[in-house]
Amino acid sequence: QVQLVESGGGLVQAGGSLRLSCAASASTFSSYTMDWFRQAPGKEREFVAYILGGAGYTYYADSVKGRFTISRDNAKNTVYLQMNSLKPEDTAVYYCAATRRTIATMKDMEYWGKGTLVTVSS
């Protein structure tokens, strides 16, 4: 069983930045693909970004490309989401998730964190 714990959420003004962290308990953390998802009030959960294990290939949703950066520190069993140029529409609960699959959709995620709330004021 892998436990994921997000942190770093909070209230920020539009144009500001936040860095989210997700600490994982997995001893084989480096082999997991790590994803960030978000769910805005009244909306479905949506994909934000993922990073593969190994070489650390990354991929982003169009809505965050160029503003968000996903990274990982395998020595610390932690994945990060650096969020810059935040917009009010980025307001959501942000979740990290893990899978041992390389190609995966939301339904393929094996483990989920409980989420951290990001609120962007206009």
Side-chain angles (χ1 to χ4, degrees):
Q1 187 75 10
V2 176
Q3 292 187 333
L4 302 174
V5 180
E6 303 96 336
S7 61
L11 174 64
V12 63
Q13 289 188 334
S17 299
L18 280 176
R19 189 177 81 154
L20 306 183
S21 300
C22 173
S25 65
S27 59
T28 56
F29 173 77
S30 62
S31 65
Y32 282 84
T33 297
M34 299 299 298
D35 286 56
W36 285 97
F37 294 86
R38 67 185 181 185
Q39 187 165 17
K43 295 188 177 181
E44 294 187 351
R45 193 170 299 188
E46 65 176 7
F47 166 78
V48 174
Y50 75 71
I51 184 167
L52 298 183
Y57 174 83
T58 60
Y59 184 82
Y60 300 90
D62 288 343
S63 59
V64 306
K65 199 174 297 181
R67 300 188 298 122
F68 290 11
T69 302
I70 188 171
S71 61
R72 66 192 298 159
D73 185 337
N74 290 331
K76 295 183 179 180
N77 281 15
T78 301
V79 62
Y80 304 97
L81 186 68
Q82 177 67 45
M83 307 186 294
N84 299 329
S85 302
L86 282 161
K87 305 175 182 180
E89 51 263 44
D90 294 319
T91 294
V93 177
Y94 284 72
Y95 300 89
C96 70
T99 178
R100 283 166 287 190
R101 300 182 66 161
T102 300
I103 299 175
T105 62
M106 192 184 310
K107 64 178 177 63
D108 299 316
M109 296 297 115
E110 297 176 59
Y111 305 102
W112 290 87
K114 294 184 178 181
T116 185
L117 176 63
V118 172
T119 304
V120 184
S121 64
S122 57

